[in-house]
Amino acid sequence: MAEVAPDPSPLIIGGGGETVRRPLPDSLHVNGGDGTYSYTRNSYFQRLAANVVKERIKGAITMKLDVENLSSTSNTIYIADLGCAVGPNAFDAMQDVVHFIQQKYTLQCPQSNTTLQFLVLFNDQPSNDFNTLFTSLPRERPYYAAGVPGSFHRRLFPESSIHFVHCSYALHWLSKVPEELLDKNCGAWNKGRIHYTNAPNEVVQAYASQFAKDMEEFLCARAMEIVTGGMMTIIMPGLPNEMPYSQLAASLMYDFMASTFMDMANEGLVSEDEVDSFNLPIYTPSPAEMASVVEKNGHFSIEMLELTNPASLVGGPVDIKAWVIHVRAAMEGMFIKHFSTDIIDEMFDRLTKKLFMFTEQVESGYKDRTQLLVVLIRK
């Protein structure tokens, strides 16, 4: 297995006098605080989508996780939540995971007098609003908590130290925008677009290649950190193997974002160069792609890999205005870093109006089986 260097970002926990380098710059963080467009107030859809697979994760832990063996050397179970953002979704997810593991331990060891302890390591980019995360941490909770800032595409934890990893709606973010997209002399130059929706094949392949590289780094890092027999669950947007990407509701939104920016460029509100040089570092894999990268890596067995309907718990039609605000809460930091802040309100207002004109397409794309659940066991 290839060695993956530890992330240069410092850990909040730990501290053995080692030399600490400055964290890598990043802009992939959700809106912090508790304002109108904060992720704290606008992450309800993500939680509903994750709840769709809650029972599937419980079943995987019950059937596949050998808690008796994992706890044989210590009564503390270490859990990592990668891409935790600012809550409250992370807290709900960790409450469930701890409860499921406790249930499995009781099932496996009914005569045991040992009480399991749990330490949850909440991870996100260094620029994440950890203050909001920890000030909103539930006072009554069945685990201890610590924060670990850094990119999950690199090492974050000591070797063979983690028993369970949870990653929900985070792994579709690439570590960086594919470099080819900004090269005017390359076939993958993504002029007039901000994503690979309806883009030439060279653009799509650049994104797919970056995702494959990122996943290899992610899996190698986790293979070093997770104990043998440990489990990792991944929830993320997914694409049915035979479905064109352009049919997804998210792709419709990204397409309209691009056309909105181009409209504003034509009106002189932004420059065309600003639009051409901006691309969303987001990729949605198919089950076949995900299976391929996991099998190529070779350090995990695939216990579950399936598509689910992320909107099955949403009653009625999609609330487009609320959906746009949720997207803004997750992505606004990137837009503000690239464009002037005074045009962001205008862009999102125009985007909302365009999406209302295509409500039927939004509905059909949002309610397909477009959520990927992956459960892996460390070999």
Side-chain angles (χ1 to χ4, degrees), residues 77-368:
I77 299 295
Y78 292 86
I79 300 171
D81 184 37
L82 306 184
C84 63
V86 294
N89 295 349
F91 306 141
D92 293 340
M94 292 303 96
Q95 181 88 14
D96 291 339
V97 168
V98 168
H99 180 60
F100 297 154
I101 294 176
Q102 285 176 324
Q103 285 185 321
K104 177 60 185 290
Y105 183 69
T106 300
L107 184 66
Q108 277 193 291
C109 308
Q111 305 302 320
S112 176
N113 294 319
T114 300
T115 300
L116 291 184
Q117 299 184 97
F118 296 87
L119 175 60
V120 175
L121 302 161
F122 290 98
N123 156 260
D124 213 305
Q125 294 280 6
S127 57
N128 183 59
D129 187 357
F130 282 98
N131 286 333
T132 293
L133 176 74
F134 286 115
T135 55
S136 58
L137 192 67
R139 180 167 296 185
E140 299 297 326
R141 59 185 187 276
Y143 56 83
Y144 297 96
V148 182
S151 169
F152 53 51
H153 292 108
R154 300 174 66 87
R155 284 284 302 279
L156 293 166
F157 311 108
E159 186 173 348
S160 299
S161 62
I162 305 298
H163 301 99
F164 192 98
V165 169
H166 178 78
C167 185
S168 180
Y169 279 84
L171 202 50
H172 59 297
W173 290 101
L174 301 176
S175 65
K176 63 178 182 179
V177 172
E179 295 175 2
E180 304 95 308
L181 272 59
L182 304 179
D183 184 354
K184 293 183 179 181
N185 299 314
C186 178
W189 184 38
N190 206 23
K191 179 176 175 58
R193 289 176 293 269
I194 65 170
H195 199 235
Y196 62 90
T197 306
N198 294 317
N201 188 58
E202 291 89 343
V203 175
V204 179
Q205 289 304 310
Y207 268 94
S209 177
Q210 186 64 52
F211 176 76
K213 292 175 184 176
D214 284 351
M215 275 301 302
E216 175 63 15
E217 291 183 352
F218 175 87
L219 292 171
C220 281
R222 302 295 83 76
M224 293 290 289
E225 298 164 349
I226 300 174
V227 301
T228 300
M231 178 176 285
M232 178 158 57
T233 57
I234 298 167
I235 308 167
M236 65 186 297
L239 178 71
N241 288 327
E242 304 302 323
M243 176 186 284
Y245 180 78
S246 59
Q247 291 184 13
L248 295 182
S251 70
L252 188 67
M253 174 173 282
Y254 302 151
D255 224 8
F256 283 165
M257 280 182 180
S259 66
T260 297
F261 276 124
M262 289 305 295
D263 290 344
M264 296 173 75
N266 292 332
E267 297 170 27
L269 298 176
V270 298
S271 72
E272 194 168 330
D273 285 343
E274 282 182 290
V275 180
D276 292 342
S277 59
F278 180 81
N279 292 279
L280 291 171
I282 295 172
Y283 186 76
T284 302
S286 67
E289 284 178 285
M290 183 62 78
S292 177
V293 294
V294 174
E295 290 166 359
K296 179 181 177 182
N297 176 266
H299 298 296
F300 295 89
S301 62
I302 300 174
E303 302 301 327
M304 191 179 299
L305 198 162
E306 61 184 42
L307 288 169
T308 59
N309 183 348
S312 61
L313 296 183
V314 178
V318 176
D319 185 334
I320 289 178
K321 185 176 180 179
W323 181 39
V324 172
I325 292 176
H326 275 62
V327 171
R328 180 171 182 170
M331 297 185 182
E332 187 172 31
M334 287 186 300
F335 291 114
I336 289 176
K337 187 172 183 178
H338 190 84
F339 299 96
S340 61
T341 56
D342 57 353
I343 62 94
I344 300 302
D345 284 337
E346 178 71 16
M347 189 279 288
F348 279 109
D349 285 345
R350 294 188 184 201
L351 173 64
T352 303
K353 292 174 182 177
K354 285 191 176 186
L355 287 170
F356 268 116
M357 295 172 62
F358 292 86
T359 302
E360 187 175 335
Q361 285 179 254
V362 171
E363 289 288 332
S364 63
Y366 192 74
K367 294 189 175 181
D368 273 306

